[in-house]
Coordinates of all heavy atoms in Angstrom, one line a residue:
Q954 N -8.4 2.5 14.5 CA -7.0 2.0 14.7 C -6.6 1.0 13.6 O -5.5 1.1 13.0 CB -6.7 1.4 16.0 CG -5.3 1.1 16.3 CD -5.1 0.5 17.8 OE1 -6.1 0.0 18.4 NE2 -3.9 0.6 18.3
V955 N -7.5 0.1 13.3 CA -7.3 -1.0 12.3 C -7.2 -0.3 10.9 O -6.3 -0.7 10.1 CB -8.4 -2.0 12.3 CG1 -8.3 -3.0 11.1 CG2 -8.4 -2.8 13.6
I956 N -8.1 0.7 10.6 CA -8.1 1.3 9.3 C -6.8 2.1 9.1 O -6.1 2.0 8.1 CB -9.3 2.3 9.2 CG1 -10.6 1.5 9.2 CG2 -9.1 3.2 8.0 CD1 -11.8 2.4 9.2
F957 N -6.3 2.8 10.2 CA -5.1 3.6 10.0 C -3.9 2.8 9.8 O -3.1 3.0 8.9 CB -4.9 4.5 11.3 CG -3.8 5.4 11.2 CD1 -3.9 6.6 10.6 CD2 -2.5 5.0 11.8 CE1 -2.8 7.5 10.5 CE2 -1.4 5.9 11.7 CZ -1.6 7.1 11.1
V958 N -3.8 1.7 10.6 CA -2.7 0.8 10.5 C -2.7 0.1 9.1 O -1.7 -0.1 8.4 CB -2.6 -0.2 11.6 CG1 -1.5 -1.3 11.4 CG2 -2.4 0.5 13.0
G959 N -3.9 -0.4 8.7 CA -4.1 -1.1 7.4 C -3.7 -0.2 6.2 O -3.2 -0.7 5.2
A960 N -4.0 1.1 6.3 CA -3.7 2.0 5.2 C -2.3 2.6 5.2 O -1.6 2.7 4.2 CB -4.8 3.1 5.1
F961 N -1.9 3.0 6.4 CA -0.7 3.8 6.5 C 0.4 3.2 7.4 O 1.5 3.7 7.6 CB -1.0 5.2 7.1 CG -2.0 6.0 6.4 CD1 -3.3 6.1 6.9 CD2 -1.8 6.5 5.2 CE1 -4.3 6.8 6.2 CE2 -2.7 7.2 4.5 CZ -4.0 7.3 5.0
G962 N 0.2 2.0 7.9 CA 1.2 1.3 8.7 C 2.4 0.8 7.8 O 2.3 1.0 6.6
P963 N 3.4 0.3 8.5 CA 4.6 -0.1 7.7 C 4.3 -1.1 6.6 O 4.9 -1.1 5.6 CB 5.5 -0.8 8.8 CG 5.0 -0.1 10.1 CD 3.6 0.1 9.9
E964 N 3.3 -2.0 6.9 CA 2.9 -3.0 5.8 C 1.5 -2.6 5.3 O 0.8 -3.4 4.8 CB 2.8 -4.4 6.4 CG 4.1 -4.9 7.0 CD 5.1 -5.1 5.8 OE1 4.7 -5.4 4.7 OE2 6.3 -4.9 6.1
G965 N 1.1 -1.3 5.3 CA -0.2 -0.8 4.9 C -0.3 -0.9 3.4 O 0.6 -1.0 2.6
Y966 N -1.6 -1.0 2.9 CA -1.9 -1.1 1.5 C -1.4 0.1 0.7 O -1.0 -0.1 -0.5 CB -3.4 -1.2 1.3 CG -4.0 -2.6 1.7 CD1 -4.7 -2.7 2.9 CD2 -3.8 -3.7 0.9 CE1 -5.2 -4.0 3.3 CE2 -4.3 -4.9 1.3 CZ -5.0 -5.1 2.5 OH -5.5 -6.3 2.8
L967 N -1.4 1.3 1.2 CA -0.9 2.4 0.5 C 0.6 2.3 0.1 O 1.0 2.6 -1.0 CB -1.1 3.7 1.3 CG -1.0 5.0 0.5 CD1 -2.0 5.1 -0.6 CD2 -1.2 6.2 1.5
W968 N 1.4 1.9 1.1 CA 2.8 1.7 0.9 C 3.1 0.5 -0.1 O 4.0 0.6 -0.9 CB 3.6 1.5 2.2 CG 3.3 2.6 3.2 CD1 2.9 2.5 4.5 CD2 3.4 4.0 3.0 NE1 2.7 3.7 5.1 CE2 3.0 4.7 4.2 CE3 3.7 4.8 1.9 CZ2 3.0 6.0 4.3 CZ3 3.7 6.2 2.0 CH2 3.3 6.8 3.2
R969 N 2.3 -0.5 0.0 CA 2.4 -1.6 -0.9 C 2.2 -1.2 -2.4 O 2.9 -1.6 -3.3 CB 1.4 -2.7 -0.6 CG 1.7 -3.4 0.8 CD 0.7 -4.6 0.9 NE 0.8 -5.2 2.3 CZ 0.1 -6.2 2.7 NH1 -0.8 -6.8 1.8 NH2 0.2 -6.7 3.9
F970 N 1.2 -0.3 -2.5 CA 0.9 0.2 -3.9 C 2.0 1.0 -4.4 O 2.4 0.9 -5.5 CB -0.4 1.0 -3.9 CG -0.7 1.7 -5.2 CD1 -1.1 1.0 -6.3 CD2 -0.6 3.1 -5.3 CE1 -1.4 1.6 -7.5 CE2 -0.8 3.7 -6.5 CZ -1.2 3.0 -7.6
F971 N 2.5 1.9 -3.5 CA 3.6 2.8 -4.0 C 4.9 1.9 -4.3 O 5.6 2.2 -5.2 CB 4.0 3.8 -2.9 CG 3.0 4.9 -2.8 CD1 2.8 5.5 -1.5 CD2 2.3 5.3 -3.9 CE1 1.9 6.6 -1.4 CE2 1.4 6.4 -3.8 CZ 1.1 7.0 -2.5
G972 N 5.1 0.8 -3.5 CA 6.2 -0.1 -3.8 C 6.1 -0.7 -5.2 O 7.0 -0.8 -5.9
S973 N 4.8 -1.2 -5.5 CA 4.6 -1.8 -6.8 C 4.7 -0.8 -7.9 O 5.2 -1.1 -9.0 CB 3.2 -2.5 -6.8 OG 2.2 -1.5 -6.7
L974 N 4.4 0.5 -7.6 CA 4.5 1.5 -8.6 C 6.0 1.8 -8.9 O 6.3 2.1 -10.1 CB 3.8 2.8 -8.1 CG 3.4 3.9 -9.1 CD1 2.5 3.4 -10.1 CD2 2.8 5.1 -8.4
I975 N 6.8 1.9 -7.9 CA 8.2 2.1 -8.0 C 8.9 1.0 -8.8 O 9.8 1.3 -9.6 CB 8.9 2.3 -6.6 CG1 8.4 3.6 -6.0 CG2 10.4 2.3 -6.8 CD1 8.8 3.7 -4.5
N976 N 8.4 -0.2 -8.6 CA 9.0 -1.4 -9.3 C 8.5 -1.4 -10.8 O 8.9 -2.4 -11.5 CB 8.6 -2.7 -8.6 CG 9.3 -2.7 -7.2 OD1 10.4 -2.2 -7.1 ND2 8.7 -3.4 -6.3
G977 N 7.6 -0.5 -11.2 CA 7.2 -0.5 -12.6 C 6.0 -1.5 -12.8 O 5.6 -1.6 -14.0
M978 N 5.5 -2.1 -11.8 CA 4.3 -3.0 -11.9 C 3.2 -2.6 -11.0 O 3.0 -3.3 -9.9 CB 4.8 -4.5 -11.7 CG 5.8 -4.9 -12.7 SD 6.4 -6.6 -12.3 CE 4.8 -7.5 -12.6
P979 N 2.5 -1.5 -11.2 CA 1.5 -1.1 -10.3 C 0.4 -2.1 -10.1 O -0.2 -2.6 -11.0 CB 0.9 0.2 -10.9 CG 1.3 0.1 -12.4 CD 2.6 -0.7 -12.4
N980 N 0.2 -2.4 -8.8 CA -0.9 -3.4 -8.4 C -2.0 -2.6 -7.8 O -2.0 -2.2 -6.6 CB -0.3 -4.4 -7.4 CG -1.3 -5.6 -7.2 OD1 -2.4 -5.5 -7.5 ND2 -0.8 -6.6 -6.6
F981 N -3.1 -2.4 -8.6 CA -4.2 -1.6 -8.1 C -5.1 -2.4 -7.2 O -6.0 -1.8 -6.6 CB -5.0 -1.2 -9.3 CG -4.3 -0.1 -10.2 CD1 -3.6 -0.5 -11.3 CD2 -4.3 1.2 -9.8 CE1 -3.0 0.4 -12.1 CE2 -3.7 2.2 -10.6 CZ -3.0 1.8 -11.7
E982 N -4.9 -3.7 -7.0 CA -5.6 -4.4 -6.0 C -5.3 -3.9 -4.6 O -6.2 -4.0 -3.7 CB -5.3 -5.9 -6.1 CG -5.8 -6.6 -7.3 CD -5.5 -8.1 -7.3 OE1 -5.0 -8.6 -6.3 OE2 -5.8 -8.8 -8.3
Y983 N -4.1 -3.3 -4.4 CA -3.8 -2.8 -3.1 C -4.7 -1.6 -2.7 O -4.9 -1.2 -1.6 CB -2.3 -2.4 -3.0 CG -1.4 -3.6 -3.0 CD1 -0.2 -3.5 -3.8 CD2 -1.7 -4.7 -2.3 CE1 0.7 -4.6 -3.8 CE2 -0.8 -5.8 -2.3 CZ 0.3 -5.7 -3.1 OH 1.2 -6.8 -3.1

């Protein structure tokens, strides 16, 4: 449950990375 929420939840790392990618500053730390 923690892994799923951490990766795909509203504040998950995957969406954070996509957000940084859209903004033109990809943050691979996510």
Side-chain angles (χ1 to χ4, degrees):
Q954 186 179 23
V955 173
I956 293 174
F957 184 82
V958 173
F961 305 106
E964 298 294 328
Y966 286 104
L967 194 61
W968 307 126
R969 292 185 188 181
F970 173 72
F971 286 149
S973 66
L974 197 63
I975 293 173
N976 293 329
M978 299 178 62
N980 189 345
F981 290 97
E982 290 185 4
Y983 291 139

